[in-house]
Amino acid sequence: MRPNLVIIVTAAFTTCCVTACMTTPVSGRKALNIMPESEEIAMGESAYKDVLKKEKISHDSRLNAIVTRVGKRIAAVANKPEYQWQFVVIDSEVQNAFCLPGGKIAVYRGIIPITKNEAGLATVMAHEVTHALARHGGQRITQNMELSLGMGIIQALLLRPGENDTAADQQKRQMIMAGLGAGATVGIVLPFSRGDEAEADEVGQILMARAGYDPEESIRFWDRFSEATKGQSPPAFLSDHPSSPSRAQDLRDRLPTAKTEYERAPQHYGLGDAF
Ligand SMILES: [Zn+2]
């Protein structure tokens, strides 16, 4: 390689690493993400508007109050003042939930009976919030779509949806929504990696504990989920949140750390209300 080229390539690599490497809150892991967080949040807002248009929203006041109460407690410990948190219940049997960048959380009615109580719901919501905080959606788009689509096209497609979108444009918009986390809405399964899942479980367990919910319920929730979804292949939640065989054991192993966080929390709700 000619010296000038070496300098240019090295400079480009250095710039890329300085701007694209990010550190995940709580776990402190490093990850590659070329998407600026402000863009990711704007895309999350846009995708959320699409979700509200496409899905049937539940007006069950009790259910909405529960989801909002648990969501606000998790949001309070997420240390993300730039997020405009919003919570919605989708009136569907689908057993799923997601949190888009920017703090837009959707819980499908179908997963509520399995959560059983506020701590079970906190397990799911804190897991989803971690995907957003750790910016797993932006990383998925970086890995899967950036090279083929180009950043400019991604922004144009999501931020300026047009009446004249072609079928191919719409398909790309749906892929981006799936990348951000709203795959269930557009019927596209884009699984998080096992590494992202492990991180969402680990940080989620800490967040629910800091929010005042007994982190031991996370282990019981996953047991109930496995039992309730036996025979479904794969259950909706697991289709984009793939489980590892060691999920329950990993949560058990980390429980002492989460319990310490729970003891330090200013409020203790235990399991919260049962439903
Ligand atoms: Zn997940």
Side-chain angles (χ1 to χ4, degrees), residues 55-64 66-67 88-98 105-116 121 124 184 221 225 236 275:
E55 297 282 16
K56 188 180 170 203
I57 305 303
S58 167
H59 297 292
D60 180 327
S61 54
R62 181 173 166 266
L63 196 50
N64 274 278
I66 291 165
V67 166
V88 70
V89 179
I90 295 175
D91 192 5
S92 155
E93 291 298 323
V94 171
Q95 293 155 336
N96 214 332
F98 58 79
I105 301 182
V107 176
Y108 288 74
R109 181 171 46 78
I111 203 165
I112 295 290
I114 309 172
T115 62
K116 197 174 168 187
L121 182 59
V124 173
F221 165 77
F225 187 84
F275 26 86

Side-chain angles (χ1 to χ4, degrees), residues 127 131 192 197 241:
H127 175 104
H131 280 310
F192 285 107
E197 278 310 290
H241 300 268

Side-chain angles (χ1 to χ4, degrees), residues 172-245:
K172 285 173 193 160
R173 277 168 55 76
Q174 289 178 342
M175 282 300 288
I176 294 164
M177 283 186 70
L180 291 173
T185 292
V186 290
I188 293 177
V189 172
L190 199 58
F192 285 107
S193 71
R194 285 277 171 89
D196 286 354
E197 278 310 290
E199 187 167 52
D201 280 351
E202 179 184 348
V203 177
Q205 196 183 35
I206 297 286
L207 286 182
M208 73 180 285
R210 288 181 182 170
Y213 289 110
D214 182 352
E216 201 164 346
E217 188 65 8
S218 63
I219 300 163
R220 291 188 288 261
F221 165 77
W222 285 111
D223 281 348
R224 287 197 296 275
F225 187 84
S226 307
E227 195 56 35
T229 55
K230 242 182 210 167
Q232 296 180 30
S233 54
F237 187 81
L238 294 187
S239 58
D240 46 8
H241 300 268
S243 181
S244 72

Side-chain angles (χ1 to χ4, degrees), residues 242-261:
S243 181
S244 72
S246 60
R247 168 171 253 154
Q249 190 55 49
D250 290 347
L251 286 166
R252 243 177 233 113
D253 290 347
R254 288 193 297 264
L255 190 59
T257 308
K259 281 279 192 188
T260 304
E261 294 282 346

Side-chain angles (χ1 to χ4, degrees), residues 77-153:
V77 296
N79 192 26
K80 209 66 181 163
E82 62 271 46
Y83 273 22
Q84 303 286 318
W85 296 92
Q86 272 180 272
F87 314 96
V88 70
V89 179
I90 295 175
D91 192 5
S92 155
E93 291 298 323
V94 171
Q95 293 155 336
N96 214 332
F98 58 79
C99 177
L100 292 167
K104 312 299 186 202
I105 301 182
V107 176
Y108 288 74
R109 181 171 46 78
I111 203 165
I112 295 290
I114 309 172
T115 62
K116 197 174 168 187
N117 53 47
E118 288 183 31
L121 182 59
T123 303
V124 173
M125 292 177 83
H127 175 104
E128 297 301 335
V129 164
T130 302
H131 280 310
L133 295 182
R135 302 182 56 205
H136 291 159
Q139 289 162 35
R140 270 199 306 196
I141 291 174
T142 298
Q143 288 153 9
N144 295 327
M145 294 163 215
E146 160 67 11
L147 292 178
S148 58
L149 289 182
M151 193 66 185
I153 296 174

